[in-house]
Amino acid sequence: WRRVWQSAQIDETSIIIGHSSGGGFVLKWLSETPSVRLAKLVLVAPWFDPHRERGDFLTFELDPEIQNRVGEIHVFYAENEDVIGVSETKDKILATFPKAMLHQFKTHGHFCLGDM
């Protein structure tokens, strides 16, 4: 996946949206690729396996400098989220990126079709 992302034309005008572990992957990729700049990063029910239950795919150090390379960071979170680890992931993101904007909903679960 890293090779695919490296070949994409992503620059300071790009907007990337990541849902669930896709958001975790984008954060890992941005943490490991400090040359990338974005206009916006939107994380919907982000999850990066905080309890390390799925191996080392999402094992990485979240780079606090990401917020200086991204114009805006948005985090979408539902209070009735039922995926274990999303709440902890959201809290870590907000603590690491104080400029991130939280969009919190009472409903919408994991923002999948059946939840909406």
Side-chain angles (χ1 to χ4, degrees):
W1 286 107
R2 185 178 292 130
R3 281 192 312 270
V4 171
W5 278 75
Q6 298 294 101
S7 68
Q9 294 184 9
I10 297 172
D11 62 25
E12 65 278 351
T13 65
S14 299
I15 298 170
I16 294 180
I17 302 169
H19 173 256
S20 194
S21 59
F25 171 79
V26 170
L27 289 169
K28 178 178 181 175
W29 180 72
L30 287 171
S31 293
E32 296 176 352
T33 316
S35 61
V36 173
R37 306 250 185 284
L38 300 174
K40 291 183 186 178
L41 174 61
V42 180
L43 302 167
V44 181
W47 181 82
F48 50 57
D49 196 13
H51 304 289
R52 300 295 173 244
E53 297 173 0
R54 305 283 179 155
D56 64 354
F57 177 67
L58 291 175
T59 300
F60 67 101
E61 287 296 320
L62 186 57
D63 181 4
E65 290 301 311
I66 289 172
Q67 78 173 350
N68 297 324
R69 302 188 333 251
V70 176
E72 297 176 17
I73 300 174
H74 297 267
V75 178
F76 285 73
Y77 176 77
E79 293 175 14
N80 68 333
E81 172 65 62
D82 60 354
V83 174
I84 296 170
V86 171
S87 179
E88 294 93 334
T89 299
K90 176 228 359 144
D91 292 344
K92 174 76 173 181
I93 291 167
L94 295 174
T96 305
F97 308 135
K99 296 178 186 176
M101 292 169 263
L102 175 64
H103 305 274
Q104 188 161 315
F105 300 83
K106 292 208 178 292
T107 61
H108 299 320
H110 197 58
F111 294 89
C112 295
L113 184 58
D115 298 329
M116 306 293 282

